Amino acid sequence: MQNLTLSAVQISTLQAEDAIRFASPTCDGSSAVLSAITFDLDRNAIFAGTESSQGEILIWRTSNSVTFVSGNDSFVFCGSYTAPNARIANLKVLSESNQLVLVTHTGDIVAWELDDSRGIVGDANVLGTVESGIAAVAWSADDSMLTLTTDTNVILMTSDFDVLSEVPIETNEFGEDAPINVGWGSKETQFHGSIGKAHLQADKDQANGERERFVDDGRPRITWRGSTPEKVASSRPLKAVSGLEASVAWRPSGGLIASTQNEVRSGPQDSRKNGKYDVVFFERNGLRHGEFSLRRPLEDDVWIERLDGDVVQLWTTGNYHWYLKQEFRAPADSHFTSVGWHPEISLKLLATTASQLVFRAFAWDTCAGANTTGTVGVVDGDEVLLTPFRTQNVPPPMSTHQLKTSVSGSSGDCSKLSRTPVHISLSPCNDLLAAVWQNGRVSVWSLRTRIGPGKGKAMDPTLVWTAGSGEKEKFWRQVSVTDLTSNGKHTVLVVLLGSEEHTDHVASPCHP
């Protein structure tokens, strides 16, 4: 019954003139793209890598803090590495050996020595090269092992880069968790109800015809299971899963592997879902174990990667229901180059664009209203799930009323706005609800909760006021609503909290 509240946001920008100044004369620094970051927890720093079209990789250092150094000095140049067609596959700080390790897609493993002043000592040292190139890289949680994949093999190394094993990335052997045949027969001999057996061939034809429609860069992905020695790599499967995409992540605690799937219509009588994006879960043996759908139809074009700017969504689960808690876009309709959680501080997210680091810190918050109604509000995408516990004890994920907060109509630039409010607030009296979006739009509803017994609706919310703050350049993150009615004069105070650059702002856009 909690909401994920944005408590802080900061953006640090790598200035174009810095990238040009430190680039070599033969490289175009203006084309440098910030593509990888790594945390140095011992020195409270973040190292970032930029890559240019000429194969030059520049290493930068910045603060590991929500509060960045102001001005143009937030990024400090540390070193560079140049090789033909070099692209960053992974950047990692090894605390035990005091090294910054760079792995490139062309196959080079490069290291710099680190000193106590958060700087790099000496020039880049090439520790080794994988001649066939490196497609994907992932370190174990304790940094003791490194997994590399080429186009054909998976290589496991120690932190000293000694090879432990090398196996084919695709194999005909299933492994220890192979399913057991309990004698129910094959799909061809089982009963298929009114759909009939014709859909079996339709599934095969659909998989072959639809496979190339989905986003796939052809590169594998690697993910480790928490601090265990187990890992998984995704590639083009021998047995195709229709619509399954390249992303893969292992749940830190538990045995589930997550990926994304674009569902397609397959078989007669619409036997499968049509045109939906799903987040799907698999067990270690490859068996399907649950899913949830992203709630936008495809024509809304809401996905992590978009032509007009990427979107990140944060979901949580409770009572077997998945809640969409937060949703934010890349600054200035740009694209994210990486998104990840802080390795030690919970609920702290770092995203990078081509030239920016975007820090977001979150906190759990309970939205409870007046004692007269006992109303509690829970954000779930563009809906607020409302339950007045004084009169109805409805267990989640069910609720008394589902309030739609999305923008109606198509005026202005509403199609580019997040439909999930960044924060909601219930007034301590008189049954009011306020919601704010990151761009400063705020709306207030009168919930009109029925307290006594009766046949009418338990809640009948109505929108009483909506407006914008008029300051879209700020990152608005919290709202408070209070009813100040006195002596027959009805007054509602709405207060917004936001930030810009390195300063917090409080605003009251109107007294409706």
Side-chain angles (χ1 to χ4, degrees), residues 214-256:
F214 307 108
V215 178
D216 188 358
D217 57 12
R219 292 179 177 174
R221 306 293 196 275
I222 308 173
T223 178
W224 287 76
R225 180 189 176 187
S227 58
T228 70
E230 296 177 298
K231 57 190 176 299
V232 62
S234 68
S235 64
R236 293 181 180 271
L238 297 177
K239 181 181 178 181
V241 179
S242 180
L244 193 67
E245 299 184 325
S247 57
V248 61
W250 204 322
R251 188 175 181 177
S253 60
L256 294 183

Side-chain angles (χ1 to χ4, degrees), residues 99-100 123 140 148 152 256 265 283 329 384 412:
Q99 286 182 318
L100 175 64
D123 296 329
S140 62
L148 311 173
T152 57
L256 294 183
R265 180 174 176 267
E283 298 178 7
R329 295 174 57 90
V384 176

Side-chain angles (χ1 to χ4, degrees), residues 26-33 50-57 83-87:
T26 58
C27 295
D28 181 15
S30 62
S31 65
V33 174
T50 59
E51 55 188 23
S52 66
S53 56
Q54 290 79 19
E56 183 178 50
I57 296 174
N85 302 316
R87 291 290 184 273

Side-chain angles (χ1 to χ4, degrees), residues 400-424:
T400 299
H401 186 86
Q402 300 81 45
L403 176 63
K404 277 284 187 181
T405 64
S406 56
V407 180
S408 60
S410 58
S411 60
D413 59 351
C414 292
S415 61
K416 292 187 177 183
L417 301 181
S418 166
R419 297 188 180 183
T420 304
V422 70
H423 187 245
I424 62 172

Side-chain angles (χ1 to χ4, degrees), residues 16-29:
E17 53 268 24
D18 288 343
I20 295 173
R21 175 157 53 100
F22 291 106
S24 63
T26 58
C27 295
D28 181 15

Side-chain angles (χ1 to χ4, degrees), residues 133-202:
I134 296 173
V137 183
W139 288 85
S140 62
D142 59 0
D143 298 339
S144 62
M145 289 185 288
L146 169 68
T147 302
L148 311 173
T149 63
T150 66
D151 291 336
T152 57
N153 293 336
V154 178
I155 305 171
L156 182 63
M157 292 183 172
T158 67
S159 58
D160 295 325
F161 307 104
D162 297 324
V163 177
L164 296 176
S165 66
E166 184 172 357
V167 296
I169 195 171
E170 294 183 352
T171 177
N172 293 324
E173 299 179 0
F174 203 98
E176 295 182 357
D177 291 334
I180 298 175
N181 189 344
V182 294
W184 290 102
S186 64
K187 286 187 177 181
E188 288 75 11
T189 62
Q190 293 173 359
F191 177 68
H192 295 274
S194 61
I195 295 178
K197 298 181 180 179
H199 80 97
L200 296 176
Q201 183 60 40

Side-chain angles (χ1 to χ4, degrees), residues 309-330:
D310 293 348
V311 175
V312 171
Q313 295 180 343
L314 303 181
W315 296 71
T316 63
T317 184
N319 291 349
Y320 301 97
H321 177 78
W322 284 90
Y323 299 85
L324 175 55
K325 291 298 187 181
Q326 288 282 342
E327 184 178 25
F328 60 90
R329 295 174 57 90

Side-chain angles (χ1 to χ4, degrees), residues 85-86 118 126 217 227 310 331 334 370 376 387 402 413 451 471 505:
N85 302 316
R118 302 190 299 176
V126 179
D217 57 12
S227 58
D310 293 348
S334 59
V376 173
T387 299
Q402 300 81 45
D413 59 351
I451 302 299
E471 299 175 282
H505 294 265

